[in-house]
């Protein structure tokens, strides 16, 4: 049985879909009891509890052979992941798969990559078999821009002249399901990204092509983006960390593309930004 942490998040929910398609036996640890019915209807075992709670984590790990670990970025993420790692080892887990970040290679001193990197090191030294999956900026983050694209044909994001080799959440989920259900991946790190660096002017041009109307990129100030985050998140540490991450990406200092692992593992190229816009078109068309 596979235990999935973060199953209600964007990546976790996609991983659940992929594992169900492979007829995997799944358990989830979730905090919100109101969401249990959704998983139970799909034949998924549910434990209600928090990743901070050693008793809940230990219960969730009972009878588990493999774990997928993706937690929301937070000030306490590292200690949560260490706790889960320790409990997994005690429970006899055979494989721990952690979703990390490609930014650990590029901005290792930023708060989010720093926590990921220290967690990676802890997992690797634990004695468990492990796989590390490192995606970068997600295509699905562009869904945050949907309102302005629909309302006034503008792609507004605080990226200045920065470039991204965006990863699609669905590719991450497919790789995760593959390493959890197929042999040959133990103790490997997979960096994954899109095929090329794209500026946000280029991304706006892709939106224009797919939506068949002119979309213009407008670089939002980081202070304005912070105000938006403050309406959505009640976590000052996370708000500061996300803003620091975006500020680093906006400098266009990233020069690493890791597209080969998607091709090698999945036998196809990564999903492009154009494919993402096509697939999610309904989110961007005018009402």
């Amino acid at each position: 049985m596979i235990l999935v942490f973060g199953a209600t998040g964007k990546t976790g929910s996609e991983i659940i879909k992929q594992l169900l398609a492979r007829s995997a036996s799944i358990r989830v640890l979730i905090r919100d009891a109101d969401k249990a019915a959704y998983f139970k209807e799909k034949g998924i075992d549910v434990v209600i509890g928090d990743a901070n709670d050693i008793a809940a984590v230990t219960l969730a790990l009972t009878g588990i052979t493999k774990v997928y670990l993706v937690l929301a970025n937070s000030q306490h993420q590292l200690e949560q992941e260490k706790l889960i790692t320790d409990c997994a080892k005690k429970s006899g887990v055979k494989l721990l798969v952690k979703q990390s970040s490609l930014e650990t290679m590029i901005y290792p001193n930023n708060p989010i990559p720093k926590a990921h990197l220290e967690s990676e090191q802890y997992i690797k030294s634990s004695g468990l078999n492990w796989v590390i999956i490192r995606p970068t900026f997600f295509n699905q983050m562009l869904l945050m821009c949907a309102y302005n694209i629909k309302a006034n044909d503008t792609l507004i994001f605080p990226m200045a002249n920065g470039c991204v080799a965006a990863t699609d959440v669905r590719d991450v989920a497919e790789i995760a399901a593959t390493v959890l259900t197929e042999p040959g991946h133990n103790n490997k790190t997979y960096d994954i990204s899109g095929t090329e660096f794209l500026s946000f002017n280029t991304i706006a041009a892709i939106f224009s092509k797919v939506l068949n109307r002119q979309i213009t990129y407008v670089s939002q100030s980081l202070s304005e983006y912070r105000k938006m985050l403050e309406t959505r998140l009640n976590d000052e540490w996370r708000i500061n960390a996300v803003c620091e991450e975006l500020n680093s990406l906006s400098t266009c200092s990233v020069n690493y593309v890791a597209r080969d692992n998607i091709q090698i593992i999945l036998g196809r190229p990564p999903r492009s930004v154009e494919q993402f816009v096509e697939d999610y078109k309904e989110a961007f068309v005018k009402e």
Side-chain angles (χ1 to χ4, degrees):
M1 179 176 278
I2 299 168
L3 174 60
V4 178
F5 287 89
T8 59
K10 289 184 176 63
T11 313
S13 58
E14 288 291 338
I15 290 166
I16 293 293
K17 291 178 187 177
Q18 288 288 334
L19 290 174
L20 287 172
R22 290 163 169 77
S23 299
S25 180
I26 309 167
R27 178 180 295 156
V28 298
L29 176 67
I30 59 173
R31 289 176 294 180
D32 189 349
D34 292 338
K35 296 180 180 179
Y38 169 83
F39 292 101
K40 290 179 179 179
E41 288 170 1
K42 298 179 181 298
I44 296 171
D45 194 29
V46 177
V47 173
I48 306 299
D50 194 280
N52 292 311
D53 183 350
I54 190 169
V57 172
T58 300
L59 177 62
L61 283 163
T62 303
I64 294 296
T65 57
K66 299 177 183 179
V67 172
Y68 195 83
L69 180 56
V70 51
L71 299 182
N73 297 319
S74 74
Q75 188 174 3
H76 304 293
Q77 180 181 356
L78 177 58
E79 58 194 73
Q80 289 174 337
E81 295 190 359
K82 286 183 174 181
L83 183 151
I84 291 166
T85 301
D86 291 343
C87 291
K89 185 175 182 180
K90 289 178 182 177
S91 298
V93 166
K94 304 301 182 186
L95 176 66
L96 174 59
V97 182
K98 172 180 163 53
Q99 183 172 311
S100 184
S101 167
L102 193 57
E103 279 69 51
T104 58
M105 298 180 60
I106 305 160
Y107 309 117
N109 294 318
N110 284 11
I112 293 173
K114 186 174 186 292
H116 278 307
L117 187 58
E118 290 183 23
S119 180
E120 287 183 21
Q121 293 166 346
Y122 192 83
I123 290 168
K124 289 177 181 179
S125 66
S126 70
L128 289 165
N129 286 318
W130 51 267
V131 175
I132 306 296
I133 298 175
R134 290 172 169 170
T136 185
F137 182 98
F138 287 126
N139 285 333
Q140 282 71 13
M141 287 188 69
L142 296 170
L143 291 168
M144 298 175 65
C145 307
Y147 174 81
N148 284 305
I149 290 174
K150 290 194 292 186
N152 51 37
D153 295 334
T154 53
L155 170 63
I156 300 178
F157 207 76
M159 194 56 75
N161 295 317
C163 300
V164 293
T167 314
D168 198 283
V169 164
R170 295 167 295 176
D171 287 345
V172 178
E174 196 170 338
I175 286 177
T178 299
V179 303
L180 285 164
T181 59
E182 297 180 11
H185 301 281
N186 284 6
N187 305 326
K188 294 182 179 180
T189 297
Y190 293 126
D191 299 332
I192 57 177
S193 74
T195 58
E196 59 184 332
F197 288 110
L198 301 175
S199 71
F200 272 67
N201 281 314
T202 301
I203 292 172
I206 292 170
F207 272 99
S208 300
K209 175 184 175 182
V210 176
L211 301 178
N212 197 30
R213 65 182 201 270
Q214 184 64 40
I215 306 298
T216 303
Y217 170 52
V218 175
S219 180
Q220 184 181 29
S221 71
L222 203 56
S223 61
E224 286 298 316
Y225 186 79
R226 176 185 291 274
K227 290 178 183 177
M228 182 278 295
L229 283 182
E230 288 172 347
T231 67
R232 301 186 181 194
L233 298 175
N234 186 27
D235 183 341
E236 186 175 0
W237 184 94
R238 188 176 179 187
I239 291 169
N240 290 336
V242 168
C243 288
E244 185 168 348
E245 196 86 345
L246 289 173
N247 185 55
S248 295
L249 288 171
S250 72
T251 65
C252 211
S253 58
V254 179
N255 58 4
Y256 178 60
V257 175
R259 60 182 177 269
D260 290 345
N261 281 325
I262 294 179
Q263 181 70 54
I264 291 167
I265 297 169
L266 302 182
R268 59 164 178 79
R271 287 178 172 91
S272 64
V273 173
E274 183 171 346
Q275 184 64 57
F276 161 79
V277 179
E278 189 69 55
D279 292 344
Y280 289 78
K281 186 186 291 186
E282 289 302 310
F284 305 106
V285 296
K286 289 183 179 292
E287 297 176 353

